Amino acid sequence: QAQLVESGGGSVQAGGSLRLSCAYFGYAYVLYCSGWFRQAPGKEREWVASIESDGRTTYSDSVKDRFTISQDNRKNFVYLQMDSLKPEDTATYYCAWGGNSCSFFVGRPDRFRYGGQGTQVTVSS
């Protein structure tokens, strides 16, 4: 059964770093898009970053130049390296995956599959 499992969240002071990991099982597509969303209390879910199956990446303006999304050689893990963290990065982070190019999901986050529980990131000032 296909599933996504996030890990790696935690608490850190502003300026610190964390690395999130997402393992996805049961997916077998040559062309796909994986990425990360986040949701802070009282706010809507926000797209953070995406990576194509060929390795091309895109980032939201709020995290560009601070976060790096990557995937491993077997492409069943996706990572989010978060540096220079700010208190406004505090949120629950969710892994997302979809069997199409990332352009298919622009403006349509409902088309992604998401990790179930997410992983909490808390940044203190």
Side-chain angles (χ1 to χ4, degrees):
Q1 183 176 358
Q3 59 178 332
L4 301 166
V5 180
E6 304 100 337
S7 62
S11 297
V12 66
Q13 290 189 331
S17 298
L18 285 172
R19 189 192 195 207
L20 306 183
S21 298
C22 173
Y24 47 96
F25 308 95
Y27 297 97
Y29 287 81
V30 174
L31 178 67
Y32 59 86
C33 177
S34 55
W36 292 90
F37 285 72
R38 66 186 181 186
Q39 188 166 19
K43 295 187 177 181
E44 293 186 354
R45 188 170 293 190
E46 172 191 21
W47 169 72
V48 174
S50 297
I51 185 166
E52 302 269 8
S53 49
D54 66 3
R56 288 174 293 155
T57 59
T58 53
Y59 299 90
S60 70
D61 288 342
S62 62
V63 307
K64 196 173 184 179
D65 298 325
R66 298 188 299 120
F67 291 9
T68 303
I69 188 170
S70 62
Q71 58 192 0
D72 75 353
N73 290 335
R74 293 174 297 171
K75 299 181 180 179
N76 59 348
F77 275 86
V78 61
Y79 305 102
L80 186 68
Q81 177 66 39
M82 304 184 295
D83 299 317
S84 301
L85 281 161
K86 304 176 180 180
E88 51 264 44
D89 295 318
T90 295
T92 301
Y93 284 70
Y94 298 89
C95 178
W97 192 96
N100 211 314
S101 67
C102 289
S103 60
F104 180 75
F105 302 96
V106 173
R108 291 297 305 271
D110 58 295
R111 291 177 172 174
F112 277 115
R113 288 180 180 266
Y114 291 92
Q117 295 183 338
T119 185
Q120 178 67 36
V121 171
T122 302
V123 185
S124 58
S125 57

